[in-house]
Amino acid sequence: MNTIIRKTDVENIDMDIIKEAGDVIRHGGLVAFPTETVYGLGADGMDATASAKIYAAKGRPSDNPLILHIADLETLDKIASEIPKKAKLLMDKFWPGPMTLIFKKKAEVPYGTTGGLETVAVRYPEHPVALELIKAAGTPIAAPSANTSGRPSPTKAEHVIEDMDGKIDMILDGGQVGIGIESTIVDVTQDIPMILRPGYITKAMVEEVVGEVSVDKVVQAKSIEELGGDYAPKAPGMKYKHYAPKAELTMFEGDVNKVIEVINRKTAEDELDGEKVGIIATDESKHLYKSGRVVSIGSRKDEESIARGLYGILRDFDDMGVDVIYSETFYDDNLGQAIMNRLIKAAGYKIIAVDGE
Ligand code: AMP
Ligand code: MG
């Protein structure tokens, strides 16, 4: 398949391009597009045959449901059978924006989109290109991240091209995204809302609006054992190894100076063995590493810069062809919780405590 790639200026959107992309979705095709979180891979979410193409292009397991993206609140009534009061409060505060809500679904939403579940995930994004595309398509757009399943999510069009060129109809290139990690998912079908996946909107921000909030225990797990063998995450996608670079990633936790010392030692040993080592550092620490391919993920003083840099760095290490990657850890509150959740999964839960070594 020949993939059409079109640049779209976010400040001054070319509506002819949007119409062309909207037509592709209307006709059951696939369009990758920018959102404020990461790039999405979109299809008509009300058409199970169109949604099936997303699973095929990504190699995504069929029990991992898709998020439906809407561009107005009226459309929500067509897909959600019940909108609880706490959901309304969250919608008022965070929509449009990086928050996905889980509702009971209406019969019209195909099981092919919801992975067989009776619930549907819905997001109202705020990226102008995403909004125009949804309007032009005239249907809720089902869209997971536009990466091959298991690879880091795309934060710029080049990442989408790497994974999807030749497999989908069209890519809308709207440049680098603003946030860089996926939306916060909140299940509002239960009385106490539950965070199923952390994101830019933090637990504290959700609590401020609806009071008590619970968190699915898969979110904070630092080991697979901690979860118990038969634990099923409420968001099916959270059980898969995800976001993974090609090289094995190990994280080191503890006092940052000690972490740097240990990573320096490990890197020197690996390089003696002829291995290429990638190091995830920060603006504050990068000059303290003695060897290896040292890349700063952002500044510890600015968690948003770390979120933005995360997936791009993992892909950059793939391009450099490193054999192993060592990383510092980050605070796991606020936005740090979402950052650590992604990194821990990318590391396949390999975290080594360095204190007391
Ligand atoms: P992605 O689109 O790649 O960011 O992944 C979407 C995430 O939303 C996955 O973790 C899904 O399992 C989750 N998800 C989508 N629909 C539902 C639903 N109805 N209930 C719970 N989680 C969902
Ligand atoms: Mg994804």
Side-chain angles (χ1 to χ4, degrees), residues 86 89-90 93-94 97-99 179 184 186 195 199-213 303-304 333-335 337:
K86 286 180 187 168
L89 294 173
L90 292 172
K93 176 81 181 174
F94 298 115
M99 169 172 282
I179 293 178
T184 307
V186 185
I195 295 181
Y200 182 77
I201 294 168
T202 63
K203 179 169 182 250
M205 290 158 79
V206 178
E207 278 169 340
E208 215 167 280
V209 178
V210 293
E212 191 183 352
V213 170
E303 281 188 323
E304 298 198 5
D333 52 1
N334 299 321
L335 187 51
Q337 180 171 73

Side-chain angles (χ1 to χ4, degrees), residues 38 58 60 64 144-147 151 153 182 197 242-243:
V38 299
K58 281 181 61 90
R60 183 173 173 105
N64 190 2
S145 48
N147 51 283
R151 291 214 68 205
S153 299
E182 301 85 346
R197 177 176 75 185
H242 220 139
Y243 320 120

Side-chain angles (χ1 to χ4, degrees), residues 55-313:
Y55 289 91
K58 281 181 61 90
R60 183 173 173 105
S62 61
D63 70 343
N64 190 2
L66 307 174
I67 296 171
L68 286 187
H69 293 70
I70 59 174
D72 57 68
L73 289 179
E74 291 74 59
T75 306
L76 182 63
D77 294 326
K78 296 188 188 142
I79 53 184
S81 66
E82 203 181 307
I83 303 168
K85 213 154 81 201
K86 286 180 187 168
K88 284 211 179 80
L89 294 173
L90 292 172
M91 287 154 53
D92 280 350
K93 176 81 181 174
F94 298 115
W95 277 5
M99 169 172 282
T100 296
L101 297 173
I102 307 289
F103 298 97
K104 295 197 174 111
K105 82 174 189 75
K106 278 209 165 146
E108 288 80 357
V109 181
Y111 289 117
T113 300
T114 68
L117 298 177
E118 292 302 333
T119 52
V120 60
V122 186
R123 184 158 100 82
Y124 186 162
E126 71 177 341
H127 195 289
V129 173
L131 290 172
E132 292 302 342
L133 175 64
I134 299 163
K135 286 187 217 156
T139 182
I141 294 187
S145 48
N147 51 283
T148 300
S149 238
R151 291 214 68 205
S153 299
T155 51
K156 51 185 183 180
E158 288 75 10
H159 298 158
V160 182
I161 295 168
E162 268 172 29
D163 286 12
M164 292 297 153
D165 195 19
K167 296 184 182 161
I168 64 176
D169 299 281
M170 194 169 176
I171 298 170
L172 293 177
D173 177 354
Q176 170 94 31
V177 301
I179 293 178
I181 50 175
E182 301 85 346
S183 58
T184 307
I185 302 182
V186 185
D187 183 351
V188 286
T189 63
Q190 37 194 327
D191 186 44
I192 297 171
M194 182 188 263
I195 295 181
L196 307 189
R197 177 176 75 185
Y200 182 77
I201 294 168
T202 63
K203 179 169 182 250
M205 290 158 79
V206 178
E207 278 169 340
E208 215 167 280
V209 178
V210 293
E212 191 183 352
V213 170
S214 63
V215 181
D216 189 0
K217 69 177 182 180
V218 73
V219 168
Q220 274 155 319
K222 290 212 172 140
S223 70
I224 296 173
E225 294 73 43
E226 204 180 298
L227 283 174
D230 53 358
Y231 186 73
K234 301 267 183 324
M238 297 290 277
K239 69 173 175 278
Y240 295 107
K241 183 169 174 190
H242 220 139
Y243 320 120
K246 289 173 189 154
E248 185 172 56
L249 166 64
T250 306
M251 309 191 68
F252 292 89
E253 189 172 49
D255 170 70
V256 113
N257 294 314
K258 189 88 198 194
V259 164
I260 292 166
E261 195 186 308
V262 172
I263 292 180
N264 271 328
R265 199 175 67 225
K266 292 235 173 243
T267 303
E269 286 166 9
D270 291 349
E271 288 183 335
L272 273 181
D273 290 341
E275 298 210 312
K276 253 197 211 181
V277 180
I279 297 172
I280 300 181
T282 62
D283 290 354
E284 290 77 16
S285 70
K286 63 181 183 216
H287 64 282
L288 298 172
Y289 290 99
K290 299 195 172 79
S291 62
R293 273 79 177 162
V294 183
V295 183
S296 172
I297 192 171
S299 166
R300 280 191 186 270
K301 297 191 194 86
D302 176 8
E303 281 188 323
E304 298 198 5
S305 71
I306 294 179
R308 249 189 329 268
L310 177 70
Y311 289 132
I313 253 195

